[in-house]
Amino acid sequence: MRIVLGVGGGIAAYKAASLLRLFTESGHDVTVIPTEAATRFVGTATWEALSGHPVSNSVWDDVDKVNHVRLGHEADLIVIAPATADVLARAAAGLADDLLTGTLLMARGPVVMAPAMHTEMWQHAATRANVETLRSRGITIIEPASGRLTGADTGPGRLPEPAEIHAAALAAHAAARTAHAGGALHGKRVTISVGGTREALDPVRFLGNRSSGKQGMALAEAALAQGAHVTLVLAHAEVAPPRGCDVVRVESALQLRDAVIAALPATDVLVMAAAVADFRPAEVVATKIKKNDDGADPVLTLVRNPDVLREAVLTRDAGPAGTGDARPLVIAGFAAETGDATADPLTHARAKLARKGCDFLVLNVVGSDLVFGEDSNEVTIIGADGSESAPVRGSKRVVADAVMSHAAGLLSR
Ligand code: CTP
């Protein structure tokens, strides 16, 4: 396919050379458009030699070829790596003051941006708003990795590894193609539980967990891209839901259970991505709990919450008797496993899959470097039919595309 690789003016521009190699070595025809600032980091000669095409960042070169129109129109995929804060801002504002931003306005295919910048710039309200604007227009923005930045500082803002950008870009292209062809989930109703529940202790305190909701939101984006109608049952999350979903907000596990069960009759695919608290305080005190004057330690009594995934399976399996219309047709859960002295993560996950009775589990093998809040992931999809996918590695969106494609495959059986 024809790819336009935009390169922003950041120190990570050198990594785009490896990304370019990954694209050309997998048989794609790549035209590189660096910004003016990017050429201060890597010269045009490098891009010309590696891509085999002339390189320019001006709309005034080769005017007879009308490059600022042609390149965007002809590209099957546009990837910008690194996307600096400046490139994100100019793209969000719809500026067309160089060949790269002009090309973006002419894009017909999917656009994937891999931002890289200092943590403060990435977290600045202006950048957050630009990212949200671009995402709402259907652009895939890969979350930057955390780690060492240009100087001695560390934090989110690093360009993800070229292999990860390569995989995310091809996944976005594949998803766009499927959506174009009607979408593997076209017309299907997908319900996804997202985020972490909060179990109230009193009016000001709760028991919570570290779920960021990022994987659930990525699932929603993937389902939307495949043409589904998406309902989010949304507990507490750090990130906003993508545009185009119906959102049912909940706080506690019990509220989440009620919302999920209510959604089942109008759901074709249920994905339980929420971190549902297994326990809640036995009693919610109506007024703020005070420290005791006698200095005694408080004692909390917890009770078990329902297993929502299991209940959804039982509700489906009980079904409207004899109508053959039991919904959802596909139910999936997530399992985070470490393995222990008794069994490896896969064995634990197989046992969990059997206990839950759902159609497949997305197994996350976790170690001390927990995946909570991280932007990338590695999972294996294990099926009730005994199947086991190859490991899926990459951003949460890459994982989400694989999960939704797996669900679509089961629906079409
Ligand atoms: N889940 C649920 N209701 C709960 C707890 C979890 O529906 N009360 C769902 C989650 O959304 C997820 C899956 O079940 O899809 C995770 O299963 P769970 O048994 O909770 O796994 P762990 O949290 O890993 O717990 P453990 O291994 O300790 O059993």
Side-chain angles (χ1 to χ4, degrees), residues 295-320:
D297 292 331
V299 176
L300 271 185
T301 307
L302 300 178
V303 292
R304 286 284 293 264
N305 271 327
D307 183 330
V308 185
L309 178 54
R310 179 77 190 131
E311 249 187 72
V313 169
L314 291 175
T315 309
R316 185 240 337 242
D317 293 351

Side-chain angles (χ1 to χ4, degrees), residues 272-274 276-278 306-309 333-334 336-337 352 355-356:
M272 284 294 301
V276 186
D278 287 319
D307 183 330
V308 185
L309 178 54
F334 275 73
E337 303 289 349
K352 186 170 287 178
R355 272 200 311 277
K356 305 267 183 184

Side-chain angles (χ1 to χ4, degrees), residues 194-343:
V194 184
T197 62
R198 290 178 162 185
E199 309 299 319
L201 276 163
D202 69 14
V204 296
R205 301 185 181 91
F206 58 83
L207 299 178
N209 60 62
R210 291 187 197 277
S211 171
S212 66
K214 287 179 182 172
Q215 183 64 73
M217 299 308 183
L219 286 163
E221 283 174 15
L224 287 169
Q226 295 192 25
H229 179 100
V230 180
T231 301
L232 289 185
V233 175
L234 178 57
H236 176 76
E238 286 169 15
V239 282
R243 277 244 294 254
C245 305
D246 287 341
V247 178
V248 182
R249 290 194 187 264
V250 296
E251 186 167 287
S252 65
L254 290 179
Q255 288 172 356
L256 185 139
R257 189 264 310 263
D258 290 349
V260 166
I261 300 295
L264 294 184
T267 295
D268 297 303
V269 176
L270 170 68
V271 183
M272 284 294 301
V276 186
D278 287 319
F279 311 103
R280 68 177 181 278
E283 143 186 51
V284 183
V285 184
T287 52
K288 188 179 169 197
I289 303 169
K290 293 294 204 187
K291 290 185 280 295
N292 289 335
D293 290 341
D294 59 6
D297 292 331
V299 176
L300 271 185
T301 307
L302 300 178
V303 292
R304 286 284 293 264
N305 271 327
D307 183 330
V308 185
L309 178 54
R310 179 77 190 131
E311 249 187 72
V313 169
L314 291 175
T315 309
R316 185 240 337 242
D317 293 351
T323 63
D325 193 29
R327 305 254 158 200
L329 301 168
V330 174
I331 301 182
F334 275 73
E337 303 289 349
T338 57
D340 56 24
T342 62

Side-chain angles (χ1 to χ4, degrees), residues 342-396:
T342 62
D344 62 14
L346 193 65
T347 311
H348 278 301
R350 284 241 162 261
K352 186 170 287 178
L353 178 60
R355 272 200 311 277
K356 305 267 183 184
C358 56
D359 302 298
F360 67 92
L361 269 188
V362 183
L363 165 63
N364 224 317
V365 178
V366 290
S368 51
D369 50 340
L370 276 172
V371 289
F372 290 114
E374 291 295 320
D375 296 318
S376 63
N377 218 341
E378 174 174 326
V379 303
T380 303
I381 297 174
I382 57 169
D385 57 0
S387 60
E388 181 185 321
S389 76
V392 182
R393 290 189 194 96
S395 67
K396 293 197 170 183

